[in-house]
Amino acid sequence: MEYKIRTNAGYGFWCYILLLFCLFPFMIRNGPGIYTLLFNVCLCCCLTPVFKENPRKISSWLRENVPIMMLSLPPSLFMSYFFAYNFLFTYSSCVLGVLYYSHLVNKLLLDCPGSFTYGEAQIISQGVTLFLLHSVITLLSKLHAPFNFPVIKAIPESVLCLQILLLGTFLLVHVLCIYPNLRQGIKFFFCCIIFSCIMMLMWQVILNKNIFVWMWLYCLRNRKRVILLLWWLMSTFAAVIFVVWVNQKPNYKASTLARKYFHLIVCVVYIPGILYDLDFLRLASGIALTAFIVLEMFRILKIPLIGPAIEDAFRVFLDEKDTGVLILTNIYLLLGCSSSVWLAGVKKYHICLLSGIISVGLGDTAASVGGTFFGKHHWKSSKKTYEGTICAVIVQLVASLYFLSIGHVWSTFNIVVVILAVLFTSLLEALTSQVDNLILPLFMFSFFCWI
């Protein structure tokens, strides 16, 4: 089976280990727990050959997936013996997680031709798999499941709310992929209503509260949160106004520099949230991701009035990496800046939370601006310039050292980690053909989480 990957890009096979390196420090730091299970599942995913010659041939399914079942045994036995986790739960988590991951990678590459490289498809599939596993364990913890597994204590209600929202959204997308006849007309809206009702029911059962009342009280809990919400609404309004203004220009194609406006918007949204209300930011970023997925779904399905309008609005901002069925640049920007917020096992400020902002919001923008105005010497076989990379290094280094000074020990080790993270991330930005918005935040995060 031949896959059609994104044009003008390398395979990106190396990307599949990024999430593994992001999880490892927190597994070491936090000891036995949810990160241990997620790391082991991610490790099994990385070791599994996922690109099948004929992934849709049912007769060869068992033969192809026996290695997955065997591969999941060692980590399951290890966790069962040393951490006293239920073996059946651990083993089934690993097997089902890797099987789903393998299926999703092939599904993305086959059904969305030209939208992903191999590495990008693997990262997205790993992320979705780990999220689903984490969500199931979280909900089981909340419901006090009667067997031993990595229980998550003191689960914030905002996390439960967000996980139910994203679970419902992913399930809706899966159903629409499996049953194409539900994608048109009244059937589509009826399907959306059904899933909305299911999510409402889950919120009521899990939270034991009316979701609308809970959301209202949550957003207005204190003065700081209200100010943050107003600031985010103003930033969103500024982004929408910019999109409308750009689309009013006839035959206009947004330049790379114009697209960096959204990077700056992301910076002014995320930095206050990380510094002042991390829990609120996690919930808000998840809601934003859901909205982006729904908008992309409307665009692909060409929902009357909404779909064509979204298509026209997005077309102006397309770049050379949006060559496939899906338009993912905006989703990748949100994912890149949110991934560090979601992955980090911290409840208060840590510089690793800003990995996406520093690498993409500031560094990538600085590289683009510097390359546009000062760039003369190009990297080999690349449009990127040495001057742009130098600008990225300077801006990221200044920002990283400043954020390091907030709540961190000013030690030689931490400074060295920051310098190495900035240098290698800047080089990666200059040399990689993978999507910057997705790759750079995870790469920088894998350094910063050691601080």
Side-chain angles (χ1 to χ4, degrees):
M1 181 69 66
E2 185 176 349
Y3 303 102
K4 183 181 178 182
I5 65 171
R6 186 164 53 80
T7 56
N8 302 319
Y11 293 138
F13 285 121
W14 62 271
C15 298
Y16 78 102
I17 62 172
L18 280 177
L19 274 177
L20 197 66
F21 280 100
C22 292
L23 291 171
F24 182 71
F26 290 103
M27 183 189 73
I28 298 297
R29 186 175 300 168
N30 297 338
I34 184 63
Y35 278 99
T36 307
L37 178 60
L38 295 180
F39 177 83
N40 279 282
V41 173
C42 191
L43 178 62
C44 292
C45 290
C46 291
L47 296 176
T48 302
V50 293
F51 304 109
K52 313 294 184 183
E53 293 184 3
N54 193 353
R56 289 174 173 166
K57 190 175 181 181
I58 300 177
S59 60
S60 62
W61 186 88
L62 277 176
R63 177 173 50 83
E64 291 175 342
N65 292 293
V66 164
I68 294 177
M69 300 177 185
M70 298 299 295
L71 190 66
S72 301
L73 269 175
S76 302
L77 290 171
F78 177 83
M79 295 180 66
S80 176
Y81 181 78
F82 288 100
F83 303 142
Y85 292 160
N86 181 277
F87 172 76
L88 181 60
F89 177 83
T90 307
Y91 181 66
S92 59
S93 297
C94 288
V95 171
L96 293 176
V98 177
L99 288 176
Y100 178 76
Y101 159 75
S102 177
H103 166 76
L104 188 57
V105 170
N106 287 279
K107 192 75 173 173
L108 291 176
L109 292 172
L110 288 172
D111 293 352
C112 306
S115 298
F116 303 93
T117 64
Y118 291 116
E120 291 161 5
Q122 286 177 291
I123 287 181
I124 295 297
S125 301
Q126 286 177 9
V128 172
T129 301
L130 296 180
F131 166 77
L132 292 176
L133 178 60
H134 187 279
S135 299
V136 169
I137 294 175
T138 301
L139 296 177
L140 288 175
S141 298
K142 183 66 177 178
L143 296 173
H144 307 292
F147 49 84
N148 194 21
F149 62 98
V151 176
I152 305 173
K153 299 179 180 179
I155 308 167
E157 290 183 336
S158 59
V159 172
L160 294 170
C161 175
L162 176 58
Q163 289 182 336
I164 293 172
L165 177 64
L166 288 174
L167 277 173
T169 305
F170 288 150
L171 187 58
L172 174 61
V173 172
H174 275 63
V175 169
L176 293 176
C177 289
I178 296 172
Y179 302 102
N181 60 317
L182 296 177
R183 302 175 189 174
Q184 298 177 351
I186 193 67
K187 292 181 181 179
F188 171 76
F189 291 103
F190 185 68
C191 191
C192 291
I193 292 172
I194 290 177
F195 275 90
S196 299
C197 293
I198 293 173
M199 286 189 286
M200 294 281 292
L201 180 61
M202 290 180 66
W203 277 320
Q204 184 66 42
V205 171
I206 299 297
L207 297 177
N208 197 26
K209 297 175 183 176
N210 182 286
I211 184 60
F212 297 107
V213 175
W214 178 87
M215 185 66 73
W216 176 263
L217 296 176
Y218 179 83
C219 293
L220 304 180
R221 182 166 298 174
N222 53 56
R223 184 170 177 268
K224 186 187 298 182
R225 188 164 290 181
V226 173
I227 294 174
L228 260 182
L229 180 60
L230 292 175
W231 176 250
W232 290 345
L233 290 175
M234 290 172 56
S235 302
T236 304
F237 181 73
V240 172
I241 290 297
F242 180 72
V243 171
V244 173
W245 175 70
V246 168
N247 274 273
Q248 287 180 343
K249 298 182 178 182
N251 301 320
Y252 177 75
K253 181 71 174 178
S255 64
T256 302
L257 211 57
R259 288 193 292 270
K260 299 307 175 185
Y261 174 82
F262 298 105
H263 290 229
L264 297 179
I265 289 291
V266 166
C267 288
V268 301
V269 166
Y270 273 75
I271 292 176
I274 290 172
L275 293 177
Y276 298 111
D277 199 331
L278 184 58
D279 188 62
F280 193 26
L281 177 64
R282 285 195 176 107
L283 178 60
S285 59
I287 294 174
L289 176 61
T290 302
F292 277 20
I293 293 173
V294 171
L295 288 176
E296 181 63 11
M297 187 167 57
F298 284 172
R299 186 194 68 82
I300 293 174
L301 300 180
K302 296 180 173 60
I303 302 301
L305 298 179
I306 304 175
I310 298 172
E311 179 75 33
D312 293 338
F314 283 4
R315 188 184 298 118
V316 179
F317 297 97
L318 298 183
D319 63 8
E320 67 276 3
K321 294 179 180 177
D322 290 311
T323 58
V325 177
L326 304 177
I327 297 177
L328 297 170
T329 303
N330 57 331
I331 296 178
Y332 281 155
L333 178 60
L334 180 64
L335 278 177
C337 294
S338 302
S339 58
S340 53
V341 175
W342 298 338
L343 282 171
V346 296
K347 296 181 179 180
K348 58 182 181 179
Y349 171 79
H350 190 282
I351 190 174
C352 70
L353 298 167
L354 289 156
S355 301
I357 296 301
I358 295 172
S359 60
V360 173
L362 299 176
D364 190 39
T365 303
S368 179
V369 173
T372 300
F373 290 103
F374 309 110
K376 294 182 180 179
H377 305 88
H378 291 266
W379 289 92
K380 186 178 180 180
S381 303
S382 174
K383 296 180 181 179
K384 310 290 180 66
T385 63
Y386 292 125
E387 292 81 2
T389 301
I390 292 172
C391 290
V393 170
I394 293 173
V395 170
Q396 288 180 97
L397 191 58
V398 171
S400 298
L401 291 176
Y402 170 75
F403 288 121
L404 181 67
S405 66
I406 303 175
H408 291 286
V409 177
W410 196 260
S411 66
T412 303
F413 175 80
N414 288 347
I415 294 174
V416 170
V417 170
V418 164
I419 293 173
L420 290 176
V422 168
L423 289 177
F424 284 116
T425 302
S426 299
L427 287 174
L428 181 62
E429 188 276 335
L431 300 176
T432 187
S433 59
Q434 308 303 301
V435 176
D436 296 340
N437 294 349
L438 180 66
I439 302 300
L440 298 184
L442 293 174
F443 186 79
M444 179 170 276
F445 181 87
S446 65
F447 282 90
F448 279 173
C449 56
W450 289 104
I451 293 177

